[in-house]
Amino acid sequence: MRDPQWFAEAPEEGWYVQLPGVPESIPVAREFTRSSLKGCPNVDAIALVVTELATNAVLHSRSGQGGSVRVWLFPLGGGIAVFVYDDGPATGTTFDRGDIADYGRGLKIVEHFALRWGSAGDTPGSHLAWADMTWDVRPEVEFP
């Protein structure tokens, strides 16, 4: 498991963006990933993972209640570590996990494409979802 790191300003390594916690920021996070990782053979999968983690941050955390979402793409060996920070657990909202028709597939997508993934932190202002991704497309992992 990774330890959450919070930044007073953008980190010096990799690519970093802070966006408002609104649905309109999700395609911006995806495009940020694509433009930051130009030439990366696995950019489609990495952008999809960023999209899913940013969507969860907006829908299921305080980020979507007037906060922000932060995306950090960090070069890691032969790959990219994806970090999506949100503002911690939502308040005043409920989530029915039984409603699989609308929810529940995003983390399956992350699991499918990531080498490893997880999350850390459960208090306001300190939640992180992360995924380790390969730079090259893994031959055994295809788009569904």
Side-chain angles (χ1 to χ4, degrees), residues 5-7 15 24 36 46 59 64-66 76 84 96 112 120 125 129 131 133 137-138 143:
Q5 298 176 12
W6 292 93
F7 303 101
W15 303 269
E24 295 80 11
S36 298
I46 296 169
L59 292 179
Q65 299 172 348
L76 182 69
V84 177
D96 179 5
H112 181 76
M133 306 289 297
V137 176
R138 296 184 335 195
F143 279 91

Side-chain angles (χ1 to χ4, degrees), residues 57-134:
V58 169
L59 292 179
H60 306 301
S61 79
R62 288 179 185 235
S63 294
Q65 299 172 348
S68 63
V69 174
R70 291 149 309 276
V71 177
W72 182 31
L73 306 172
F74 181 78
L76 182 69
I80 296 290
V82 172
F83 300 94
V84 177
Y85 300 89
D86 64 47
D87 294 334
T91 58
T93 61
T94 60
F95 176 63
D96 179 5
R97 294 191 178 275
D99 191 3
I100 195 68
D102 292 328
Y103 300 103
R105 294 181 295 273
L107 292 179
K108 290 286 188 191
I109 291 170
V110 173
E111 182 177 348
H112 181 76
F113 288 106
L115 293 170
R116 288 169 297 283
W117 68 278
S119 65
D122 287 334
T123 58
S126 64
H127 185 259
L128 157 70
W130 60 268
D132 291 340
M133 306 289 297
T134 60

Side-chain angles (χ1 to χ4, degrees), residues 17 27-38 40 43 45-48 50-51 71 73 80 82:
V17 66
V28 176
R30 183 173 44 249
E31 182 54 34
F32 161 77
T33 302
R34 290 186 174 287
S35 64
S36 298
L37 301 179
K38 283 183 183 170
C40 173
V43 71
I46 296 169
L48 182 58
V50 166
T51 299
V71 177
L73 306 172
I80 296 290
V82 172

